[in-house]
Structure formats: structure tokens, C-alpha cells
Amino acid sequence: MSRKPADELSRRERQIMNIVYARGEASAAEVQSGLPDAPSYSAVRALLAILVDKGQLKHRSEQGRYIYAPTRRRSHVGRSALRRVLDTFYEGSLEKAVAALLQGSEANLSPEELARLSELIEQARKEGR
Amino acid sequence: MSRKPADELSRRERQIMNIVYARGEASAAEVQSGLPDAPSYSAVRALLAILVDKGQLKHRSEQGRYIYAPTRRRSHVGRSALRRVLDTFYEGSLEKAVAALLQGSEANLSPEELARLSELIEQARKEGR
DNA sequence: CACCTCATGCTAATAAATTAGCATCATGAG
DNA sequence: CTCATGATGCTAATTTATTAGCATGAGGTG
């Protein structure tokens, strides 16, 4: 079992990475406001520095303050995270996962989204032939 | 931003929960063998005890040893984890996530799975009308 | 029944994560 | 130019997580 980068992150570090990935990039203050049970500004900056050290984040200076962004591409990390969820909860099956989401009582997909999804699947079927 | 249960777990605790969810249930030894950089058997048992304490796991005695299982239903936790990934990496869009997986170079879906997926989508479209 | 094996419950020590405070430096206003 | 504002880089302390060892008890075997 190979160890994924996410396995190396502590609780707070993970929370922060989630926020940064969700936003694309963020300042220390923005990260702080996104954290549950937010600690001091100091604490947040310390964690951010650690993440930079670990190579998870990079920062650029903009208007006198640091803006943090992930070093690894969102698309890669996202796919990997998605796979992990599929493996952990759905035997690795995308089908089961989609079924679970669609069955959720909470209506979540617009007709347009469903249509586009359908389109995607059909296309994959043709190409996969 | 409400704090999800997964936010309360430490690195090792999370790894263990993933293993248990993936297997459905597991003994201490099984958990240990599934952990990357596996620590001592003692350490694993200590973590398991903590998880029971936190209400994440329950255990039953079977053939003289404990078998651990999650207290919360796999389907619930899985949906929640899936949603989190969608929110963090795909703007909450299932469509984008599926597209990302399908475009992955690594062929991953069998024609049968694609067919069933297609079926699921169509059904959702009809019901959603 | 006596013994061997294996799992548990505790206790304790070490390592890592999390937090905060302070001195310093840059920026923009007056 | 001088000052007020806000961000940074350190340093240090505390809390939490992680790890391992040991004594005890249950169960099965000869």
C-alpha cells in the first residue's frame, strides 16, 4: 500500500489544504476564516509555513502579503482523492458512487447536468469500443 | 462551515478508519497490516481504543478477539466524503468529477459499467422531470 | 489439570502538532 | 520624513498524538 501525500498531513494541515484547493489560492486571513474552530492568526501562519516547507504549498507576495497556492495540480490531487473515496466506500466503482449520490433524497442535479453527464457517458462508451 | 467528523480525526486515526471502512470490519492485526509504516501492534490497539472512545468504532468479541466496525453507516459517511471531494476539487459538480475520471488515461470503466451508469442517469432524468 | 498462546487493559515515555507572543520590516498616509 | 498599520520570521510553551512495554486473563491442548 503506497503512501499518498494526504497520509502525511496532520489534521489542521489537511483542513488548510482543503480550503486552499477549494478556493484555488488564499491569504492567511482567508484560510483562518475558513477553518473550523479557527485558531490565532499566528497559528495559521505557522501551519502555512510548515505546508510550504513540506512542498504542499507555494506562496507569492502580492500587495504586501502572501497568497498561498497548492504546488500540485488540482486535477491530479482531485482525481486521486476521488479514487480514494471510491476505493474506501464503493469498492472502487464509480457506478456505485454515482448511484449513491443520485439516490440521495436531497435533489442535487439539475436536468442540464444530468444531460451533460449522459452525454459524457455515451461518449466514453463509443470511445471505449 | 460545520465541522465534519472527519475533521476531528488525527492522521493515524483517519488511516485506520479508511481501512475499516474499506474492509467493512477488521481485527487489530488486520488493521495493522493495512497501515503504511505500520507501528507496533500495541500502538494500533491503542488507536483503536481511542476510536471506540470517540464513538467512531464499535467492537464485538469474536473467537476471543475484537472485531472492529464503524458505528456510522458506510453509505452515509461515503456520501459525505464524496461530497467533500466534489466541493473541494470540482466546485460541487458531479459532472465535472465524472468527466475528470473518464478522461483519465488509465482505462478504468468496463463497457458493462458504462452501460449501467448510463442507465442510472437516464432513470434520474425521467424521475427528475 | 497444567501449560502455552494470544489478546486485552493499563501505564508511561517520546515525538509531533498546535498554539501564541514578540521584535522587525515594508507600505502608504499625512 | 515620520508615523500608524499590518504582515512577516522567529522562538517558545503547551497540548495532542503516537508509540511501546508489561501484567493479567481466557481458551484450547495434551
Side-chain angles (χ1 to χ4, degrees), chain A residues 6-38:
Chain A
D7 271 358
E8 300 299 301
L9 299 182
S10 69
R11 176 178 136 266
R12 279 299 199 200
E13 289 169 356
R14 206 166 358 103
Q15 292 176 349
I16 290 177
M17 289 308 294
N18 281 343
I19 291 172
V20 177
Y21 271 116
R23 305 186 50 124
E25 57 178 39
S27 67
E30 288 168 340
V31 167
Q32 182 185 27
S33 72
L35 282 176
D37 292 304

PDB file of all heavy atoms in Angstrom, chain A residues 6-38:
ATOM      1  N   ALA A   6      -1.566  12.750   1.131  1.00  0.00           N
ATOM      2  CA  ALA A   6      -2.569  13.147   2.118  1.00  0.00           C
ATOM      3  C   ALA A   6      -2.369  12.394   3.430  1.00  0.00           C
ATOM      4  O   ALA A   6      -2.780  12.848   4.484  1.00  0.00           O
ATOM      5  CB  ALA A   6      -3.974  12.892   1.585  1.00  0.00           C
ATOM      6  N   ASP A   7      -1.714  11.264   3.340  1.00  0.00           N
ATOM      7  CA  ASP A   7      -1.461  10.476   4.540  1.00  0.00           C
ATOM      8  C   ASP A   7      -0.424  11.133   5.430  1.00  0.00           C
ATOM      9  O   ASP A   7      -0.301  10.800   6.595  1.00  0.00           O
ATOM     10  CB  ASP A   7      -0.963   9.078   4.147  1.00  0.00           C
ATOM     11  CG  ASP A   7      -2.118   8.118   3.960  1.00  0.00           C
ATOM     12  OD1 ASP A   7      -3.263   8.528   4.173  1.00  0.00           O
ATOM     13  OD2 ASP A   7      -1.853   6.972   3.600  1.00  0.00           O
ATOM     14  N   GLU A   8       0.332  12.031   4.860  1.00  0.00           N
ATOM     15  CA  GLU A   8       1.416  12.662   5.599  1.00  0.00           C
ATOM     16  C   GLU A   8       0.954  13.926   6.305  1.00  0.00           C
ATOM     17  O   GLU A   8       1.739  14.554   7.002  1.00  0.00           O
ATOM     18  CB  GLU A   8       2.561  13.012   4.645  1.00  0.00           C
ATOM     19  CG  GLU A   8       3.141  11.812   3.923  1.00  0.00           C
ATOM     20  CD  GLU A   8       3.717  10.798   4.893  1.00  0.00           C
ATOM     21  OE1 GLU A   8       4.626  11.169   5.644  1.00  0.00           O
ATOM     22  OE2 GLU A   8       3.235   9.645   4.903  1.00  0.00           O
ATOM     23  N   LEU A   9      -0.275  14.297   6.084  1.00  0.00           N
ATOM     24  CA  LEU A   9      -0.737  15.563   6.652  1.00  0.00           C
ATOM     25  C   LEU A   9      -1.485  15.377   7.963  1.00  0.00           C
ATOM     26  O   LEU A   9      -2.233  14.422   8.133  1.00  0.00           O
ATOM     27  CB  LEU A   9      -1.637  16.274   5.647  1.00  0.00           C
ATOM     28  CG  LEU A   9      -0.968  16.642   4.319  1.00  0.00           C
ATOM     29  CD1 LEU A   9      -1.936  17.371   3.419  1.00  0.00           C
ATOM     30  CD2 LEU A   9       0.283  17.462   4.560  1.00  0.00           C
ATOM     31  N   SER A  10      -1.259  16.316   8.857  1.00  0.00           N
ATOM     32  CA  SER A  10      -1.957  16.293  10.135  1.00  0.00           C
ATOM     33  C   SER A  10      -3.363  16.880   9.963  1.00  0.00           C
ATOM     34  O   SER A  10      -3.721  17.351   8.882  1.00  0.00           O
ATOM     35  CB  SER A  10      -1.189  17.105  11.154  1.00  0.00           C
ATOM     36  OG  SER A  10      -1.266  18.466  10.814  1.00  0.00           O
ATOM     37  N   ARG A  11      -4.087  16.874  11.047  1.00  0.00           N
ATOM     38  CA  ARG A  11      -5.477  17.318  10.982  1.00  0.00           C
ATOM     39  C   ARG A  11      -5.597  18.757  10.450  1.00  0.00           C
ATOM     40  O   ARG A  11      -6.287  19.012   9.453  1.00  0.00           O
ATOM     41  CB  ARG A  11      -6.068  17.226  12.396  1.00  0.00           C
ATOM     42  CG  ARG A  11      -7.461  17.735  12.524  1.00  0.00           C
ATOM     43  CD  ARG A  11      -7.969  17.555  13.945  1.00  0.00           C
ATOM     44  NE  ARG A  11      -8.662  18.737  14.433  1.00  0.00           N
ATOM     45  CZ  ARG A  11      -8.100  19.704  15.134  1.00  0.00           C
ATOM     46  NH1 ARG A  11      -6.813  19.648  15.431  1.00  0.00           N
ATOM     47  NH2 ARG A  11      -8.797  20.734  15.533  1.00  0.00           N
ATOM     48  N   ARG A  12      -4.919  19.670  11.092  1.00  0.00           N
ATOM     49  CA  ARG A  12      -5.003  21.066  10.675  1.00  0.00           C
ATOM     50  C   ARG A  12      -4.454  21.267   9.279  1.00  0.00           C
ATOM     51  O   ARG A  12      -4.997  22.040   8.482  1.00  0.00           O
ATOM     52  CB  ARG A  12      -4.222  21.941  11.645  1.00  0.00           C
ATOM     53  CG  ARG A  12      -4.967  22.281  12.913  1.00  0.00           C
ATOM     54  CD  ARG A  12      -6.234  23.039  12.626  1.00  0.00           C
ATOM     55  NE  ARG A  12      -6.742  23.751  13.794  1.00  0.00           N
ATOM     56  CZ  ARG A  12      -7.990  24.164  13.923  1.00  0.00           C
ATOM     57  NH1 ARG A  12      -8.879  23.912  12.979  1.00  0.00           N
ATOM     58  NH2 ARG A  12      -8.372  24.822  14.989  1.00  0.00           N
ATOM     59  N   GLU A  13      -3.369  20.604   8.992  1.00  0.00           N
ATOM     60  CA  GLU A  13      -2.767  20.741   7.667  1.00  0.00           C
ATOM     61  C   GLU A  13      -3.758  20.317   6.580  1.00  0.00           C
ATOM     62  O   GLU A  13      -3.888  20.968   5.547  1.00  0.00           O
ATOM     63  CB  GLU A  13      -1.494  19.892   7.578  1.00  0.00           C
ATOM     64  CG  GLU A  13      -0.335  20.446   8.397  1.00  0.00           C
ATOM     65  CD  GLU A  13       0.811  19.461   8.515  1.00  0.00           C
ATOM     66  OE1 GLU A  13       0.682  18.320   8.017  1.00  0.00           O
ATOM     67  OE2 GLU A  13       1.837  19.817   9.100  1.00  0.00           O
ATOM     68  N   ARG A  14      -4.432  19.251   6.845  1.00  0.00           N
ATOM     69  CA  ARG A  14      -5.427  18.765   5.886  1.00  0.00           C
ATOM     70  C   ARG A  14      -6.553  19.768   5.708  1.00  0.00           C
ATOM     71  O   ARG A  14      -6.965  20.090   4.587  1.00  0.00           O
ATOM     72  CB  ARG A  14      -5.991  17.441   6.402  1.00  0.00           C
ATOM     73  CG  ARG A  14      -6.516  16.517   5.368  1.00  0.00           C
ATOM     74  CD  ARG A  14      -6.708  15.130   5.967  1.00  0.00           C
ATOM     75  NE  ARG A  14      -6.296  15.051   7.346  1.00  0.00           N
ATOM     76  CZ  ARG A  14      -7.133  15.048   8.372  1.00  0.00           C
ATOM     77  NH1 ARG A  14      -8.434  15.124   8.185  1.00  0.00           N
ATOM     78  NH2 ARG A  14      -6.664  14.967   9.612  1.00  0.00           N
ATOM     79  N   GLN A  15      -7.030  20.274   6.818  1.00  0.00           N
ATOM     80  CA  GLN A  15      -8.111  21.264   6.738  1.00  0.00           C
ATOM     81  C   GLN A  15      -7.682  22.451   5.888  1.00  0.00           C
ATOM     82  O   GLN A  15      -8.441  22.946   5.055  1.00  0.00           O
ATOM     83  CB  GLN A  15      -8.463  21.748   8.149  1.00  0.00           C
ATOM     84  CG  GLN A  15      -9.103  20.686   9.015  1.00  0.00           C
ATOM     85  CD  GLN A  15      -9.360  21.174  10.446  1.00  0.00           C
ATOM     86  OE1 GLN A  15      -8.882  22.235  10.834  1.00  0.00           O
ATOM     87  NE2 GLN A  15     -10.104  20.404  11.215  1.00  0.00           N
ATOM     88  N   ILE A  16      -6.461  22.886   6.114  1.00  0.00           N
ATOM     89  CA  ILE A  16      -5.965  24.033   5.363  1.00  0.00           C
ATOM     90  C   ILE A  16      -5.843  23.710   3.877  1.00  0.00           C
ATOM     91  O   ILE A  16      -6.264  24.492   3.023  1.00  0.00           O
ATOM     92  CB  ILE A  16      -4.604  24.486   5.928  1.00  0.00           C
ATOM     93  CG1 ILE A  16      -4.815  25.105   7.318  1.00  0.00           C
ATOM     94  CG2 ILE A  16      -3.934  25.471   4.989  1.00  0.00           C
ATOM     95  CD1 ILE A  16      -3.529  25.536   8.007  1.00  0.00           C
ATOM     96  N   MET A  17      -5.291  22.550   3.565  1.00  0.00           N
ATOM     97  CA  MET A  17      -5.151  22.185   2.158  1.00  0.00           C
ATOM     98  C   MET A  17      -6.522  22.121   1.486  1.00  0.00           C
ATOM     99  O   MET A  17      -6.673  22.547   0.335  1.00  0.00           O
ATOM    100  CB  MET A  17      -4.432  20.834   2.028  1.00  0.00           C
ATOM    101  CG  MET A  17      -2.953  20.868   2.367  1.00  0.00           C
ATOM    102  SD  MET A  17      -2.012  22.148   1.485  1.00  0.00           S
ATOM    103  CE  MET A  17      -2.139  21.569  -0.206  1.00  0.00           C
ATOM    104  N   ASN A  18      -7.502  21.610   2.177  1.00  0.00           N
ATOM    105  CA  ASN A  18      -8.845  21.560   1.603  1.00  0.00           C
ATOM    106  C   ASN A  18      -9.346  22.954   1.271  1.00  0.00           C
ATOM    107  O   ASN A  18      -9.919  23.180   0.195  1.00  0.00           O
ATOM    108  CB  ASN A  18      -9.818  20.879   2.570  1.00  0.00           C
ATOM    109  CG  ASN A  18      -9.678  19.373   2.534  1.00  0.00           C
ATOM    110  OD1 ASN A  18      -9.109  18.804   1.606  1.00  0.00           O
ATOM    111  ND2 ASN A  18     -10.180  18.710   3.555  1.00  0.00           N
ATOM    112  N   ILE A  19      -9.119  23.868   2.173  1.00  0.00           N
ATOM    113  CA  ILE A  19      -9.570  25.235   1.932  1.00  0.00           C
ATOM    114  C   ILE A  19      -8.856  25.837   0.729  1.00  0.00           C
ATOM    115  O   ILE A  19      -9.482  26.435  -0.153  1.00  0.00           O
ATOM    116  CB  ILE A  19      -9.309  26.106   3.183  1.00  0.00           C
ATOM    117  CG1 ILE A  19     -10.242  25.673   4.310  1.00  0.00           C
ATOM    118  CG2 ILE A  19      -9.494  27.583   2.863  1.00  0.00           C
ATOM    119  CD1 ILE A  19      -9.941  26.331   5.634  1.00  0.00           C
ATOM    120  N   VAL A  20      -7.550  25.649   0.694  1.00  0.00           N
ATOM    121  CA  VAL A  20      -6.791  26.236  -0.404  1.00  0.00           C
ATOM    122  C   VAL A  20      -7.175  25.591  -1.742  1.00  0.00           C
ATOM    123  O   VAL A  20      -7.334  26.292  -2.746  1.00  0.00           O
ATOM    124  CB  VAL A  20      -5.270  26.110  -0.168  1.00  0.00           C
ATOM    125  CG1 VAL A  20      -4.499  26.659  -1.351  1.00  0.00           C
ATOM    126  CG2 VAL A  20      -4.884  26.849   1.104  1.00  0.00           C
ATOM    127  N   TYR A  21      -7.353  24.292  -1.749  1.00  0.00           N
ATOM    128  CA  TYR A  21      -7.756  23.646  -3.003  1.00  0.00           C
ATOM    129  C   TYR A  21      -9.137  24.120  -3.433  1.00  0.00           C
ATOM    130  O   TYR A  21      -9.395  24.346  -4.616  1.00  0.00           O
ATOM    131  CB  TYR A  21      -7.739  22.124  -2.869  1.00  0.00           C
ATOM    132  CG  TYR A  21      -6.397  21.521  -3.205  1.00  0.00           C
ATOM    133  CD1 TYR A  21      -5.654  20.853  -2.253  1.00  0.00           C
ATOM    134  CD2 TYR A  21      -5.861  21.638  -4.495  1.00  0.00           C
ATOM    135  CE1 TYR A  21      -4.405  20.309  -2.565  1.00  0.00           C
ATOM    136  CE2 TYR A  21      -4.628  21.107  -4.804  1.00  0.00           C
ATOM    137  CZ  TYR A  21      -3.903  20.437  -3.842  1.00  0.00           C
ATOM    138  OH  TYR A  21      -2.681  19.909  -4.155  1.00  0.00           O
ATOM    139  N   ALA A  22     -10.019  24.264  -2.475  1.00  0.00           N
ATOM    140  CA  ALA A  22     -11.369  24.691  -2.815  1.00  0.00           C
ATOM    141  C   ALA A  22     -11.378  26.100  -3.400  1.00  0.00           C
ATOM    142  O   ALA A  22     -12.110  26.395  -4.334  1.00  0.00           O
ATOM    143  CB  ALA A  22     -12.280  24.614  -1.583  1.00  0.00           C
ATOM    144  N   ARG A  23     -10.532  26.972  -2.868  1.00  0.00           N
ATOM    145  CA  ARG A  23     -10.518  28.354  -3.326  1.00  0.00           C
ATOM    146  C   ARG A  23      -9.559  28.590  -4.470  1.00  0.00           C
ATOM    147  O   ARG A  23      -9.623  29.636  -5.130  1.00  0.00           O
ATOM    148  CB  ARG A  23     -10.131  29.276  -2.178  1.00  0.00           C
ATOM    149  CG  ARG A  23     -11.002  29.115  -0.941  1.00  0.00           C
ATOM    150  CD  ARG A  23     -10.641  30.172   0.082  1.00  0.00           C
ATOM    151  NE  ARG A  23     -10.605  31.483  -0.499  1.00  0.00           N
ATOM    152  CZ  ARG A  23     -11.306  32.527  -0.086  1.00  0.00           C
ATOM    153  NH1 ARG A  23     -12.118  32.378   0.928  1.00  0.00           N
ATOM    154  NH2 ARG A  23     -11.204  33.678  -0.672  1.00  0.00           N
ATOM    155  N   GLY A  24      -8.629  27.658  -4.651  1.00  0.00           N
ATOM    156  CA  GLY A  24      -7.630  27.876  -5.692  1.00  0.00           C
ATOM    157  C   GLY A  24      -6.390  28.507  -5.095  1.00  0.00           C
ATOM    158  O   GLY A  24      -5.281  28.052  -5.313  1.00  0.00           O
ATOM    159  N   GLU A  25      -6.583  29.545  -4.319  1.00  0.00           N
ATOM    160  CA  GLU A  25      -5.497  30.186  -3.583  1.00  0.00           C
ATOM    161  C   GLU A  25      -6.114  31.002  -2.465  1.00  0.00           C
ATOM    162  O   GLU A  25      -7.321  31.272  -2.482  1.00  0.00           O
ATOM    163  CB  GLU A  25      -4.663  31.068  -4.502  1.00  0.00           C
ATOM    164  CG  GLU A  25      -5.480  32.130  -5.202  1.00  0.00           C
ATOM    165  CD  GLU A  25      -4.613  33.031  -6.089  1.00  0.00           C
ATOM    166  OE1 GLU A  25      -3.700  32.501  -6.734  1.00  0.00           O
ATOM    167  OE2 GLU A  25      -4.858  34.250  -6.101  1.00  0.00           O
ATOM    168  N   ALA A  26      -5.289  31.386  -1.502  1.00  0.00           N
ATOM    169  CA  ALA A  26      -5.846  32.111  -0.358  1.00  0.00           C
ATOM    170  C   ALA A  26      -4.750  32.757   0.472  1.00  0.00           C
ATOM    171  O   ALA A  26      -3.621  32.281   0.518  1.00  0.00           O
ATOM    172  CB  ALA A  26      -6.651  31.158   0.523  1.00  0.00           C
ATOM    173  N   SER A  27      -5.119  33.846   1.129  1.00  0.00           N
ATOM    174  CA  SER A  27      -4.216  34.504   2.066  1.00  0.00           C
ATOM    175  C   SER A  27      -4.357  33.827   3.424  1.00  0.00           C
ATOM    176  O   SER A  27      -5.275  33.041   3.643  1.00  0.00           O
ATOM    177  CB  SER A  27      -4.592  35.972   2.197  1.00  0.00           C
ATOM    178  OG  SER A  27      -5.856  36.086   2.821  1.00  0.00           O
ATOM    179  N   ALA A  28      -3.452  34.153   4.317  1.00  0.00           N
ATOM    180  CA  ALA A  28      -3.518  33.568   5.657  1.00  0.00           C
ATOM    181  C   ALA A  28      -4.846  33.909   6.330  1.00  0.00           C
ATOM    182  O   ALA A  28      -5.472  33.057   6.965  1.00  0.00           O
ATOM    183  CB  ALA A  28      -2.358  34.081   6.507  1.00  0.00           C
ATOM    184  N   ALA A  29      -5.258  35.149   6.173  1.00  0.00           N
ATOM    185  CA  ALA A  29      -6.508  35.565   6.808  1.00  0.00           C
ATOM    186  C   ALA A  29      -7.696  34.779   6.243  1.00  0.00           C
ATOM    187  O   ALA A  29      -8.600  34.386   6.979  1.00  0.00           O
ATOM    188  CB  ALA A  29      -6.721  37.062   6.602  1.00  0.00           C
ATOM    189  N   GLU A  30      -7.678  34.569   4.929  1.00  0.00           N
ATOM    190  CA  GLU A  30      -8.781  33.823   4.312  1.00  0.00           C
ATOM    191  C   GLU A  30      -8.800  32.379   4.805  1.00  0.00           C
ATOM    192  O   GLU A  30      -9.872  31.813   5.065  1.00  0.00           O
ATOM    193  CB  GLU A  30      -8.645  33.867   2.791  1.00  0.00           C
ATOM    194  CG  GLU A  30      -8.972  35.231   2.218  1.00  0.00           C
ATOM    195  CD  GLU A  30      -8.552  35.365   0.756  1.00  0.00           C
ATOM    196  OE1 GLU A  30      -7.685  34.577   0.294  1.00  0.00           O
ATOM    197  OE2 GLU A  30      -9.077  36.247   0.076  1.00  0.00           O
ATOM    198  N   VAL A  31      -7.629  31.806   4.921  1.00  0.00           N
ATOM    199  CA  VAL A  31      -7.559  30.443   5.427  1.00  0.00           C
ATOM    200  C   VAL A  31      -8.108  30.400   6.842  1.00  0.00           C
ATOM    201  O   VAL A  31      -8.917  29.541   7.185  1.00  0.00           O
ATOM    202  CB  VAL A  31      -6.108  29.926   5.421  1.00  0.00           C
ATOM    203  CG1 VAL A  31      -5.987  28.650   6.228  1.00  0.00           C
ATOM    204  CG2 VAL A  31      -5.641  29.689   3.990  1.00  0.00           C
ATOM    205  N   GLN A  32      -7.688  31.358   7.638  1.00  0.00           N
ATOM    206  CA  GLN A  32      -8.151  31.387   9.022  1.00  0.00           C
ATOM    207  C   GLN A  32      -9.672  31.424   9.111  1.00  0.00           C
ATOM    208  O   GLN A  32     -10.279  30.680   9.870  1.00  0.00           O
ATOM    209  CB  GLN A  32      -7.567  32.601   9.746  1.00  0.00           C
ATOM    210  CG  GLN A  32      -7.982  32.657  11.220  1.00  0.00           C
ATOM    211  CD  GLN A  32      -7.502  33.917  11.906  1.00  0.00           C
ATOM    212  OE1 GLN A  32      -7.308  34.942  11.266  1.00  0.00           O
ATOM    213  NE2 GLN A  32      -7.288  33.834  13.203  1.00  0.00           N
ATOM    214  N   SER A  33     -10.272  32.277   8.303  1.00  0.00           N
ATOM    215  CA  SER A  33     -11.727  32.403   8.393  1.00  0.00           C
ATOM    216  C   SER A  33     -12.435  31.152   7.888  1.00  0.00           C
ATOM    217  O   SER A  33     -13.593  30.916   8.205  1.00  0.00           O
ATOM    218  CB  SER A  33     -12.191  33.635   7.624  1.00  0.00           C
ATOM    219  OG  SER A  33     -12.065  33.415   6.238  1.00  0.00           O
ATOM    220  N   GLY A  34     -11.730  30.353   7.111  1.00  0.00           N
ATOM    221  CA  GLY A  34     -12.345  29.133   6.609  1.00  0.00           C
ATOM    222  C   GLY A  34     -12.203  27.952   7.555  1.00  0.00           C
ATOM    223  O   GLY A  34     -12.874  26.942   7.408  1.00  0.00           O
ATOM    224  N   LEU A  35     -11.341  28.074   8.529  1.00  0.00           N
ATOM    225  CA  LEU A  35     -11.081  26.962   9.441  1.00  0.00           C
ATOM    226  C   LEU A  35     -12.146  26.841  10.527  1.00  0.00           C
ATOM    227  O   LEU A  35     -12.541  27.829  11.127  1.00  0.00           O
ATOM    228  CB  LEU A  35      -9.718  27.139  10.115  1.00  0.00           C
ATOM    229  CG  LEU A  35      -8.480  26.783   9.304  1.00  0.00           C
ATOM    230  CD1 LEU A  35      -7.215  27.109  10.089  1.00  0.00           C
ATOM    231  CD2 LEU A  35      -8.488  25.310   8.942  1.00  0.00           C
ATOM    232  N   PRO A  36     -12.587  25.614  10.776  1.00  0.00           N
ATOM    233  CA  PRO A  36     -13.499  25.388  11.898  1.00  0.00           C
ATOM    234  C   PRO A  36     -12.722  25.550  13.196  1.00  0.00           C
ATOM    235  O   PRO A  36     -11.567  25.111  13.272  1.00  0.00           O
ATOM    236  CB  PRO A  36     -13.943  23.942  11.712  1.00  0.00           C
ATOM    237  CG  PRO A  36     -12.912  23.308  10.844  1.00  0.00           C
ATOM    238  CD  PRO A  36     -12.292  24.392  10.032  1.00  0.00           C
ATOM    239  N   ASP A  37     -13.321  26.155  14.190  1.00  0.00           N
ATOM    240  CA  ASP A  37     -12.638  26.412  15.460  1.00  0.00           C
ATOM    241  C   ASP A  37     -11.318  27.117  15.198  1.00  0.00           C
ATOM    242  O   ASP A  37     -10.258  26.685  15.671  1.00  0.00           O
ATOM    243  CB  ASP A  37     -12.350  25.111  16.213  1.00  0.00           C
ATOM    244  CG  ASP A  37     -13.616  24.451  16.710  1.00  0.00           C
ATOM    245  OD1 ASP A  37     -14.369  25.122  17.428  1.00  0.00           O
ATOM    246  OD2 ASP A  37     -13.858  23.287  16.347  1.00  0.00           O
ATOM    247  N   ALA A  38     -11.400  28.155  14.424  1.00  0.00           N
ATOM    248  CA  ALA A  38     -10.197  28.841  13.971  1.00  0.00           C
ATOM    249  C   ALA A  38      -9.276  29.261  15.107  1.00  0.00           C
ATOM    250  O   ALA A  38      -9.723  29.863  16.076  1.00  0.00           O
ATOM    251  CB  ALA A  38     -10.592  30.066  13.157  1.00  0.00           C
TER     252      ALA A  38
END
